[in-house]
Amino acid sequence: MCGIIGYIGKNEALPVLLNGLKKLEYRGYDSAGVALLNGSLEVFKKLGKVSELEEFVKSKNLKGNIGIGHTRWATHGEPSDVNAHPHQSQSGIFSVVHNGIIENYSQLKNELREHGFEFQSETDTEVLANLIEYFYNQNDEVTAEIAVQLALSKVVGAYGIAVLCSREDDKLIVARRGSPLVIGLGDGEYYVASDASPVAGITSQVVYLNDNDMAIIQRNNFTLKNLENNPVSLTITNLDMKIGEMDKGEFEHYMLKEIYEQPQTIEETFKGRLNPDYPDIVLGGLINVFPRIAQAEKIVIVACGTSWHAALIAEYLFEEYARVPVEVEYASEFRYRKPVLGKTDVVIFISQSGETADTLAALRLAKELGALTLGICNVVGSSLARETEAGVFTHAGVEIGVASTKAFTAQVTVLTLFAVKLAKMKGTIGEEEYRELVRELADIPARERLILESNEHIKQIAAKYKDAVNALYLGRGMLFPVALEGALKLKEISYIHAEGYAAGEMKHGPIALIDDNLPVVVIAPRDAYYEKIMSNIQEVKARKGNVIAVITEGDTALKEMASDVIEIPRSHPAVAPLLAVVPLQLLAYHIAVMRGCNVDQPRNLAKSVTVE
Ligand code: AGP
């Protein structure tokens, strides 16, 4: 997913742009560039890291206090200098940075060619730059902002853009449809970015653009309008992101920092919601819709990736405790099929970023069908947070590592609070069971801290299996989705092929894979499935498989049986996923580091998939 930064104000723009691009690196990218407006437009862009761009522009003595910058995650056209952003229009009047996809770019490109435009790159963004210039050249009445409006009216697809015009060198024009943009309000200066991380610590006042919004930003003010040129009301949001969240501290990688943050981020998630001495779980964001939720004929949960694994855990929780039918759907499937949904149904959308294109498209479909839409999201002001009818923020803080860890456990924490509260409201659990579940949840942070003490032990296990080519993860009940999550963590940061499976499925296929080259991670706490999972372990051992077992502390039987064990504290089954996942996060992390992988920015991946 690309990153956009823009600045207009009293200071030199270049340092602001470069620092902002560094704060956006976590989104994943292959090239970077900047454009500065200082009488004329100067553009510098190249394949590679922001640090290489910084080196490249150092000797250029670039001046100007209006500028835009971009980190590119290639969609149209391979990663290269010429395909990097910013893209200029043919005459060089306009410079554009863009996050998103213009689906009708080839038709627009052909039409522009008929009007004499030539192209340097393979990108859809250069088409947009020339389309803006085309309209700008129609007559002298057309200003830069009108030209942008006219061009965007022809675009099919998603965009977040920032535009500079060398003939109107006192303004920065931004617009969005489908790809987020935020404006940071400074003192006589304005910042624009794809998300709030570059402005955290600089300003706490931000404006999130909505779809079809456009802003014309000048040094001392800005106008917000829509693409039909009508004024749009302004909502200033107070940013609760702290600058400290943006650095790694004593950790080598953001991912490790975020794994270690989980006990306190879960405590943050509890704040104002769970207090063992207080009779009720409070989910303020759902207060007005709980009656409708309690009447729901079914709950559908829609998400992608790790968030989808949280949804699978929620299915067990809601059905077991609140006795409500639950269906879990991949957003990328849900959005294209014809789901049977109506006013009596509730659809929960889970998304760390709140900007995942498939999840947002599924949300819009569910709203059209009349269902009650709820969001469980980690980013205040995100599209998902603003477009769902109600929801719960996970409060995990900024998650920089592409591989989601603390956001996942925060999602599962919220979903557990939600299921337990709903069960109590519906009377499907008694007071005693309710109080036990509340106590068990409240103990999670302390128990996770104990698990983190096994980090060195887990690192030693990682060293034994870092050269594996494949891996199998097994779990039963709510620990089956945890097996899926453990496998995803390993594959996405170490590039080892890993599969998660319901342990009961072994005999239906995966057992054919077992040999002494295949590490098999089995989540085997002392729960209702214990005997069954123990026989799965024996089946693996009988075929010379190496078993890494996540076990309840003190389980001597499994210590004997498994090749390696990682102990976790005993807990209630309803909260076991929040404990069992931590060793799997650490195992994946250490294996990836030992393999020399880019843990925080794995190849081909983006932190938020804002395109299809
Ligand atoms: C998880 O480690 C991955 N980065 C990815 O699967 C992610 O969970 C997925 O893209 C969904 O993102 P979201 O939660 O921001 O919607």
Side-chain angles (χ1 to χ4, degrees), residues 4 96-98 128 148 152 159-163 173-176 181:
I4 288 175
V96 180
V97 290
H98 166 225
L128 179 58
V148 170
L152 292 177
Y159 58 79
I161 60 169
V163 182
I173 300 169
V174 298
R176 79 152 268 178
L181 275 180

Side-chain angles (χ1 to χ4, degrees), residues 146-216:
I146 299 288
V148 170
Q149 284 171 345
L150 293 170
L152 292 177
S153 67
K154 299 291 181 195
V155 160
V156 174
Y159 58 79
I161 60 169
V163 182
L164 293 177
C165 174
S166 59
R167 292 191 187 159
E168 299 181 28
D169 62 359
D170 62 344
K171 64 180 72 163
L172 170 57
I173 300 169
V174 298
R176 79 152 268 178
R177 186 196 302 152
S179 287
L181 275 180
V182 59
I183 301 173
L185 314 182
D187 174 15
E189 54 190 5
Y190 292 99
Y191 304 80
V192 168
S194 304
D195 65 46
S197 44
V199 301
I202 297 177
T203 174
S204 60
Q205 304 283 297
V206 296
V207 172
Y208 289 95
L209 267 65
N210 287 308
D211 279 353
N212 293 320
D213 281 358
M214 162 191 256
I216 296 85

Side-chain angles (χ1 to χ4, degrees), residues 304-307 351-353 356 402-404 411 488-489 492 609:
C304 301
T306 283
S307 300
S351 174
Q352 187 285 129
S353 63
T356 299
V402 166
S404 186
Q411 289 166 350
L488 175 61
K489 289 284 103 40
E492 70 174 323
V609 184

Side-chain angles (χ1 to χ4, degrees), residues 255 302-309 350-360 376-379 384 399 401-405 407-408 411 485 488-489 492-493 602 605-610:
M255 183 179 174
V302 180
C304 301
T306 283
S307 300
W308 183 76
H309 296 151
I350 306 174
S351 174
Q352 187 285 129
S353 63
E355 300 299 349
T356 299
D358 286 324
T359 307
L360 293 175
I376 294 179
C377 181
N378 195 41
V379 179
L384 185 96
E399 185 175 68
V402 166
S404 186
T405 50
F408 171 72
Q411 289 166 350
E485 174 59 12
L488 175 61
K489 289 284 103 40
E492 70 174 323
I493 61 174
L605 289 177
K607 181 59 185 170
S608 169
V609 184
T610 58

